Amino acid sequence: MSITPSIPVVQGSKKTSLQYDGDALFLHRPHEEVRIPLAAVARVRAQGRSVVVELTAPTEAEPVAHRIDGVSQAGAAMFVATVNASLPGVAGRDTTVDGSALVEAQTWPRSRRERKARLVKLWSAAAVGLVVVLCVLISLAGEAVGVVLFVPMGGAAAASLVGSGVALSSWYREWRLTRHGITTFAAEVPGEPGMYLYTDPAGLIRNVFTWAGLVTVKVSYDPRDPGNVILPRAALVRRGELCLGLFLAFCGLFMFASMVLMTVEAFLGTLDLSEPA
């Protein structure tokens, strides 16, 4: 019995991949999937650690190409050889037509968790960048010793602001959904502790997970995005989170304001960190 080697999935950089499945190639990117029928493929080329899928096109037209980078050279070579060998036998394939008209793309927005993680990264980068700028400025002002103070102080300030952003955004989301969303009850799935189901306005059954230990739990969700759901907490917990967020915001802003003030004083000549207090 002969064994046919399986066709590899070409894994690229930045969470991209190219897969040969049946009569089409599937190019996966974050938040997008592109289906390229084999009838629309003129050829597939390997260029170092990249794979290029060229689409069919009229004789004098520039062919459209889809590219994936950062792949394994061995996997790319095998993938290209396998796909190109199968192209001549594709039914209805015409290399003189515009293959891009046969390509289908499906996109979907970033999830709430991804948006929140991206926002945290941006805030962190901005805060760290501000610390670096202040360290450079106070060094140029002749108080390089201030860097020793600014690094831990700036790190604490950045952490406070990021923590404040996380706490306040969580509080605001719960506040908005409990007041402007739809509140209903979710029932626990028998035999699956912690798994609760609720039905959205479109009739779609959705799930939420919690160790409440109750037969039903109260949930609130966004009518425009029923998958955005929260389990309302006690008012005391929400107020505590709000106070924590405001306190961290005050601490972070106060420390950054102090660093800015010290930098201004260093340029004005009224700050001398080399002298003992």
Side-chain angles (χ1 to χ4, degrees), residues 67-130:
R67 183 187 186 98
I68 179 173
D69 300 312
V71 304
S72 163
Q73 289 184 324
M78 181 179 178
F79 185 88
V80 168
T82 304
V83 175
N84 284 335
S86 64
L87 291 179
V90 176
R93 179 169 173 265
D94 186 350
T95 59
T96 62
V97 301
D98 183 9
S100 61
L102 303 176
V103 176
E104 301 174 354
Q106 180 182 4
T107 60
W108 49 89
R110 295 177 183 270
S111 66
R112 181 189 58 81
R113 187 183 300 274
E114 289 175 320
R115 292 196 300 270
K116 186 174 182 180
R118 185 170 181 267
L119 185 61
V120 168
K121 290 179 182 178
L122 290 176
W123 272 103
S124 302
V128 172
L130 179 57

Side-chain angles (χ1 to χ4, degrees), residues 187-198:
E188 187 176 30
V189 179
E192 296 188 28
M195 182 66 69
Y196 292 80
L197 302 180
Y198 65 98

Side-chain angles (χ1 to χ4, degrees), residues 128-147:
V128 172
L130 179 57
V131 173
V132 172
V133 170
L134 291 175
C135 288
V136 172
L137 290 177
I138 201 167
S139 298
L140 294 176
E143 295 291 343
V145 68
V147 176

